[in-house]
Amino acid sequence: MYLTKDEEALLRGEEGEAKRLAMEILVALGDIYGAERMVKVDSVHISGTSYTSCGDAGIHFLSRLVRSGAKLAVPSTLNPVSIPLNRWRELGFPERLAAKQLEILSLYKLMGAAGGYTCHPYLVGNVPRYGSHISWAESSAIVYANSMLGARTNREGGIGALASALVGLTPLYGYHLAENRRATVKVEVEAELIDALDYSLLGYAIGELIIDGVPLIAGLPSQAGLDELKAMGASMATSGSIALFHALNLTPEAGLMKDEGLPKLTIDSSMLKQVREKLSSNGGLTVDCVALGCPHLSLSELKRIASFLEGRKVKEGVRLWLFTSEGIKRLGEEAGYVDIIEAAGGRILTGGCVVHTPLEEIGVEVLATNSAKAAHYCLSLHEVKVCIGSLKECLEAALTGRWVY
Ligand code: F3S
């Protein structure tokens, strides 16, 4: 691929070993995918930050970068990690895991990462503008940035995003180019969509059917907002590898799409029911953990949870864990939501991720969630039973300890 003189100098190592390594990775990626050149990125979001995903090899790699004097060249936020940073000790997370996790975060800090520890960086200050080139990892954040914000990123892995952060560049291919952002299939939604769970199931069904491609979605209610589309996109990127969707009248590039000649799919309520049955255990179980916030909860979701829990009590022995970012938690504190939730026995966990939580080690056997993504990964990565339901069903399970749906 074509490199400018400055990029060639980076590749020769004239600005240090870390940048040389980053360029080597990006040039290799560009060659694989046929990029003609590099493009500057405005923002980066790095995944693979949890010890459970990067392990000791990750610590070794990051230490090597830090020793070579690596500094990030563009504002870069980090994905959630294996422990809730605000209360891992209180909740009995293993000390050894916490020590390793904190070591990883301190290495990122030494390189100048902005932290965040969230999968909704777009709610806490890392907000790319329409049309800007970015290099984001974390599938739920990628699909949100591409679809809802109209920024341009490929489905980066943690290493690719880190390399971009070090030099401020990414190879120009894939979703960075307008021609690859065109819709490839039209999806007509004929299902009733009420709760964010319905959107989560819908996204999962779309991902399963399309696998890869760019859906143009018609038939979503006009009131579908951040919470609903965040849930839908995350699921789409879980059952499929979708990085971009267009939703008529809801997303910024949808109006530019032409649907003539596109293959068509229809999704109805029976298909959402099938997804729910596939991801959920039957009723009659005793639930010991209700986990909400995959992707991390927004302020409006915290408000809805607080309204439901006000004056009620979570059943003794049931954990109600609400995953979000420190930034959103602070807003929730100001608004009084956090006090209500904590008084009811719920726990706001910042920086953690239900999927990367060592559920077995801390004694979780039956987990309830309203997220198809959390259900999918908890079923495949953990030895736990999973129940999936609406926000209200999950909160009722937290109050009673029973899953009856
Ligand atoms: Fe976020 Fe973890 Fe879910 S990164 S989207 S809470 S799997």
Side-chain angles (χ1 to χ4, degrees), residues 285-306:
L285 289 172
T286 301
V287 169
D288 52 27
C289 181
V290 176
L292 303 171
C294 175
H296 275 180
L297 295 165
S298 68
L299 187 62
S300 56
E301 288 173 311
L302 277 189
K303 179 181 191 308
R304 231 170 291 143
I305 293 166

Side-chain angles (χ1 to χ4, degrees), residues 52 69 157 163 173 223 241 252 399:
T52 45
Y173 70 95
Q223 67 272 24
S241 53
L399 301 183

Side-chain angles (χ1 to χ4, degrees), residues 129-176:
R129 71 182 161 78
Y130 180 87
S132 61
H133 295 281
I134 62 175
S135 176
W136 279 23
E138 169 48 40
S139 62
S140 70
I142 291 164
V143 72
Y144 193 95
N146 268 327
S147 313
M148 300 291 289
L149 306 179
R152 297 182 172 201
T153 181
N154 286 317
R155 248 177 96 108
E156 299 295 345
I159 294 289
L162 176 56
S164 286
L166 287 164
V167 292
L169 299 166
T170 196
L172 185 68
Y173 70 95
Y175 294 116
H176 290 282

Side-chain angles (χ1 to χ4, degrees), residues 320-349:
L320 172 58
W321 285 351
L322 308 173
F323 292 87
T324 191
S325 58
E326 187 61 35
I328 292 295
K329 176 176 164 260
R330 288 203 190 153
L331 295 175
E333 279 167 351
E334 289 291 324
Y337 309 150
V338 170
D339 278 351
I340 294 171
I341 290 168
E342 300 261 341
R347 292 290 170 263
I348 312 272
L349 309 186

Side-chain angles (χ1 to χ4, degrees), residues 21 44-46 52 57 60 68-69 77 89 115 119 165 218 224 238 244 246 279 297 321 363 376 398 402:
L21 188 59
V44 172
H45 182 69
I46 302 171
T52 45
H60 180 73
S68 74
T77 42
R89 194 169 266 132
C119 40
T238 297
L244 166 66
H246 304 294
L279 292 175
L297 295 165
W321 285 351
H376 174 100
R402 301 289 298 158

